[in-house]
Amino acid sequence: MRRKRAVVAAAFAGTVALGVGVGVWASADGGARPGADVARTSPASRATTGATGRAAAPSSPTPTRSYPLSQAPRTIPAVRSHTAARGPGWQPRHGERVVVSDPRLADEGRLIAGELGLSYAGQKNDARAGDLRLALGGGGDQESYSMTVKGGRVDISGPGDAGVFYGTRTLKQEVHGGGTAPEGVVRDAPAKPVRGFMLDIARKPYSASWIQDRVRELGDLKFNELGLHFSDDQAFRIESSSHPEIVSKDHLTKAQVKQIVDLAAARHITVVPEIDSPGHLGAVIAAHPDLQLRNANGVATRGAIDISKAGSAKIVDDLLNEYAGVFPGGKWHLGGDEYQALTVSDPQASFPQLAAAARQKYGSGATVADLAAGWLNDRATTVRAHHRTMRAWNDGFFRNTSVQPAKDLQVAYWTGKEIGARQPLEYLSTGRKVINYNDEFLYYVLGQPQTFVYPTGQRIYEQWTPRVLRGTTPVPARYDPQILGGVFAVWSDFPNAQTEAQVAAGIRMPLRATVQKLWDPGAPALSWTQFKALADRLG
């Protein structure tokens, strides 16, 4: 069960500037006057003016209101279904109430009340004009919700508090984008359960406040994961009590991490930590040089830990156990990629100590790849004891080994460039669940090294779907249920290539395009130009 949030982020100051609902005046015989637009007419003047704004003839009948069918709300991501209705819609007015049917929705209620300038009234059973009511009920997808705008009130309900929260995000965007929530019923749910953003804070330190700003942005866009890659060759970026000697000077304290985790939980975002191993451990090795992998000639291998040594497993397990208490969410990334011992032509000859350890542990025919697969399984055993769902990079799964990766490991598929690269179908055909990190579309690598270029929102919006796992070709539709979703990743290979502000600006539209395709992978109703204009209007 999701840990109940301890904090609710500060709401927007003051009351949001609001527009006015659009309707048409009708004559007593029911004939609508063309061109009527009450959005530009004050209530007082509407009593004595017609559609053109000129004074009505004294003999004119008293007008009554009628409304065109409402239009579907324009939000990011777009809602999946809207049933139109006739009516003025809903606008928040200062002093009106947010009420909840269940105290478990108090956090959601307080947040949207502050954002829209309303009064949070708590759990109430009565109904008043202007109310926004949040309720739990029904079954099905815990991230689904319905929102009914009718009779001057709004009702948002769902089987879980996550869905109700997403309903408040839709309402917030409606109000901020156009002033009025349109009459009718929204029924909405995400296509994919994993909608993530990953940040490499190991190579580039990001301030806690910048990360918190991204959490707020992610929450409003209905993302539900924030990945933190905080250990690599360059640095180890979070305070440690079990091994303080490995922590870099510029790091986040555990208190800062708790603030990030709590803020994320308040927005139904799980923080997914990653301590990559057995490669990418340079910062750990710097404090423990005796654990560094060396080849037969004694040459050190950068970032690689010697997995034949008991001390290597102990220090990594110490860290995994420690940070399980720092990150209480139910997900974990084990890494597993780019272990340099397996990039040489003959790992057994180059690293005889690894070959010997493999044979000792797994039998006479075992290889270095078997030892690496066993390492990943052993780390999974450590994390599994903390009741986490685990994933590892696709190049941490090895072919032609006697030791098979644990069956509960999900595949974080990012590339097909590694030695012995396998197509996504090789994982999907065995029943593996896969998360899409396609480096062709979803990798924002600072400095654009090698063949990387900064991804554009337009390319994601127009060409990518969760089924496009590698390159630009989608896998067959029959595998869609095994693809859990996708993650847009920022890697900090050249940390000074962009400032924090430049990164935030650079990923703004790619994030919006990504979540649109994760919420609904079908062809979007809006063109890219319209989508971008909508994003600009929503802020």
Side-chain angles (χ1 to χ4, degrees), residues 67-223:
Y67 299 90
L69 278 174
S70 60
Q71 299 295 312
R74 291 290 177 92
T75 60
I76 297 176
V79 301
R80 306 291 294 276
S81 168
H82 177 255
T83 302
R86 298 183 188 276
W90 179 89
Q91 300 169 5
R93 291 181 171 84
H94 185 71
E96 290 181 340
R97 307 185 308 174
V98 176
V99 297
V100 299
S101 69
D102 191 297
R104 287 174 291 176
L105 296 174
D107 290 348
E108 289 77 14
R110 289 191 180 97
L111 180 61
I112 191 64
E115 291 170 331
L116 297 185
L118 302 173
S119 172
Y120 177 68
Q123 189 174 3
K124 302 289 184 183
N125 293 321
D126 63 323
R128 295 183 186 175
D131 275 357
L132 164 58
R133 175 175 291 276
L134 310 181
L136 292 174
D141 187 344
Q142 295 292 295
E143 294 189 309
S144 66
Y145 69 93
S146 66
M147 179 171 69
T148 301
V149 179
K150 182 180 180 181
R153 293 191 294 272
V154 180
D155 289 278
I156 298 174
S157 64
D161 50 357
V164 174
F165 172 72
Y166 296 141
T168 68
R169 299 308 87 191
T170 295
L171 182 65
K172 177 184 174 183
Q173 288 193 27
E174 288 177 336
V175 171
H176 286 189
T180 301
E183 203 87 1
V185 180
V186 168
R187 292 180 177 85
D188 204 12
K192 293 298 181 182
V194 173
R195 305 178 302 281
F197 169 62
M198 196 227 74
L199 182 65
D200 170 14
I201 65 173
R203 296 177 178 91
K204 179 181 178 69
Y206 290 83
S207 65
S209 62
W210 190 91
I211 297 172
Q212 288 173 331
D213 285 344
R214 300 290 72 71
V215 169
R216 296 184 184 96
E217 180 181 14
L218 295 172
D220 281 353
L221 293 171
K222 304 184 179 112
F223 280 90

